[in-house]
Amino acid sequence: MNELVVSKSEDGLRIAILQEKKIVELHHEKLSEEFSVGDLVLGKVKKIVPGLNAAFVDVGHPRDAFLHYFDLGPQVRSLLKYLKAAKGFRNGQVVELDKIRPLPDINKHGKMEEVLKPNQDVLVQVVKEPISTKGPRLSSEISLPGQYVVLVPFAKSVSVSKKIRSSDERRRLRVLAESLCPKNFGLIVRTAATGKDAATLGKDIFGILDKWKDMSLALGKAKSPTKVLSESNRATSILRDMLSQGFDTIHTDDKQAFQDIETYLKNNQPEYLKALKLYKGKVSLFQAMGLEKQIKASFGKIASMANGAYLVIEHTEAMHVIDVNSGSKNLNNNTLEETALKVNLEAATEIARQLRLRDMGGIIVVDFIDLKKPENRKILNDHFRKVMKQDRAKHSILPMSKFGLVQITRQRVRPQIDIQTSEVCPSCNGTGKIQASILIADEISNNLDYLIRQNKERKLTIVANPYVSAYLRRGFLKSFQFTWFHNYWVWVKIKDDTSLPFTEVKYYNSEGEEIKF
């Protein structure tokens, strides 16, 4: 069962993908985000760095974006020619791509200074969002994704996704693609196109071309640096990429997101409209569905699994390291090898989920529990690759080394999700020190003296942590509670509240109103 949950937060939208009621992906789309993967930007070349064979491009980010020669794409000269023509058109006129005569491809081993010059405008696409102190990563080999196809301006090839295994289906889709491909565009058929007819693919292509025309209009009056075509918001992007897998339910508590998703579904997959639901409850959608607790439990240094096994996840500048521990796991009278295999298989499934959930990229090293038998290592390797197939990010998994280590590389296109699962201690406010316990009772006595003598309160209730309450009642005739009655002839009620920290005490008057100090 697949579910998509889109919830409004203070600074944007939180988007969760659930499989069997368990979070497998979490995204946060901030309202202030300036750059998303897939955005097309009219940038200005700031400087050429021959040593790197690259250029730094001003795209409006505080740090200049990086464009390497290999990311220019072979048809970059044709794209620059198109850009010059598009900037020359005004008054709502659009330059058609099929009217541009393509120029020869650039040399694969050429130099950046042979193609671009400082202060030159260039049309680029964001392929990696700003991460840490680095600016965006760019490419001039532009791709325009739809639900079933991807159009590539000035590319000369038509290809079919390698994930489509059937040779007959690949042949059928290639024939369709070649007949539908617009002039001066290359075309890639996506896995979701399996079984689709020419009308469906054609509709998808026309939708992409409409976006391209809108961008051409924007180029006519744009001044660099400026964004000329935005990728769909994160929710509709996820729908576009994953709708082929199917969502049983799509929940949202945001009216704007509901309208955007509804419009997208009407235009692309109207059969899923019945799955879209607008939540109108008083508590947040994430809280109502129990997702807040899942998030807190899934992030942090230690990720627990069933039967006592757990993962220890560490992050360094160079890589991520995951250690698999069996903990107190006890599987009857199984041998050590059998126990290790079962824990490792369970860990592999959880690691695949954690990589997607945290969006961990770069190099990941997993230290599995040692397996002696080669056949067990093969079982683990096959299972790990199987569960990782659901990951949409490009990744590569090396076989287990003789030390029990598995190395993974995973595509990183946006900052890793980091959610703080620990909270500042309400008693010490993070200092690690609290008021001396012997003084807490004295402070309560002083506050009661003020309330009774100065404010003339005759009926008081104090609420405290159970440990403090027990201390105040201890000894009866010698207790603090009886001492107060003896001094003021006012019986002070004492109530317990386990949610209160050790040093916090609340005071209430006869009306049940809290008295603030």
Side-chain angles (χ1 to χ4, degrees), residues 49-62:
V49 185
L52 298 175
N53 201 16
F56 284 95
V57 181
D58 179 12
V59 292
H61 189 267

Side-chain angles (χ1 to χ4, degrees), residues 7-26:
S7 180
K8 191 174 184 179
S9 64
E10 292 181 1
D11 56 349
L13 292 175
R14 287 194 297 173
I15 304 162
I17 298 174
L18 278 63
Q19 290 179 352
E20 305 302 331
K21 299 293 182 181
K22 201 169 186 179
I23 297 181
V24 294
E25 284 189 34
L26 183 65

Side-chain angles (χ1 to χ4, degrees), residues 253-494:
D253 57 5
D254 182 64
K255 290 183 179 180
Q256 184 60 51
F258 180 86
Q259 292 172 2
D260 291 344
I261 296 172
E262 186 179 43
T263 302
Y264 180 84
L265 292 175
K266 281 180 179 177
N267 293 333
N268 296 278
Q269 300 266 226
E271 64 269 24
Y272 283 105
L273 279 169
K274 60 180 180 295
L276 180 60
K277 302 184 185 304
L278 180 63
Y279 172 78
K280 298 180 180 179
K282 292 184 179 179
V283 298
S284 73
L285 179 56
F286 269 48
Q287 190 173 341
M289 297 186 68
L291 302 185
E292 295 288 4
K293 184 178 180 181
Q294 274 199 54
I295 291 169
K296 289 290 184 182
S298 298
F299 285 83
K301 181 178 177 180
I302 296 176
S304 299
M305 298 183 291
N307 302 317
Y310 62 94
L311 305 174
V312 179
I313 303 173
E314 298 272 14
H315 309 286
T316 70
E317 188 68 25
M319 66 180 72
H320 309 280
V321 183
I322 303 175
D323 185 36
V324 179
N325 292 273
S326 60
S328 59
K329 192 168 181 116
N330 186 0
L331 297 173
N332 302 322
N333 297 318
N334 290 341
T335 64
L336 184 61
E337 182 81 2
E338 290 173 339
T339 302
L341 178 59
K342 288 186 178 181
V343 173
N344 282 340
L345 291 174
E346 184 182 337
T349 302
E350 180 62 19
I351 289 167
R353 186 180 83 95
Q354 287 287 339
L355 295 182
R356 293 175 66 190
L357 185 60
R358 303 184 186 215
D359 206 3
M360 293 162 60
I363 300 173
I364 302 115
V365 177
V366 183
D367 183 10
F368 284 104
I369 300 171
D370 289 342
L371 294 171
K372 304 296 183 185
K373 297 180 180 178
E375 57 267 30
N376 286 340
R377 291 186 173 212
K378 185 177 186 307
I379 291 171
L380 175 60
N381 185 62
D382 292 344
H383 175 73
F384 198 17
R385 291 178 183 276
K386 179 182 176 182
V387 293
M388 284 293 291
K389 279 184 177 179
Q390 299 179 47
D391 194 343
R392 292 181 293 139
K394 293 179 182 177
H395 59 270
S396 176
I397 305 171
L398 296 182
M400 180 183 284
S401 72
K402 63 180 180 180
F403 299 115
L405 302 178
V406 173
Q407 300 173 66
I408 308 164
T409 58
R410 186 175 183 273
Q411 182 184 28
R412 176 166 56 185
V413 295
R414 56 179 61 89
Q416 176 190 328
I417 295 175
D418 184 23
I419 293 176
Q420 295 297 324
T421 56
S422 57
E423 299 176 357
V424 175
C425 172
S427 296
C428 68
N429 290 320
T431 63
K433 298 178 181 179
I434 63 171
Q435 183 181 13
S437 56
I438 197 171
L439 298 178
I440 294 174
D442 290 343
E443 183 181 349
I444 295 172
S445 296
N446 291 336
N447 288 338
L448 289 174
D449 183 80
Y450 171 79
L451 291 173
I452 295 170
R453 293 188 188 276
Q454 300 295 325
N455 287 14
K456 306 299 181 184
E457 297 286 353
R458 305 309 299 171
K459 189 176 180 181
L460 287 167
T461 302
I462 64 174
V463 180
N465 183 282
Y467 289 103
V468 177
S469 300
Y471 178 70
L472 297 175
R473 299 191 193 101
R474 189 181 63 179
F476 189 60
L477 293 178
K478 293 183 179 180
S479 68
F480 280 92
Q481 191 176 27
F482 193 82
T483 301
W484 298 330
F485 178 72
H486 181 268
N487 291 342
Y488 310 118
W489 291 98
V490 173
W491 185 254
V492 179
K493 289 184 180 180
I494 302 174

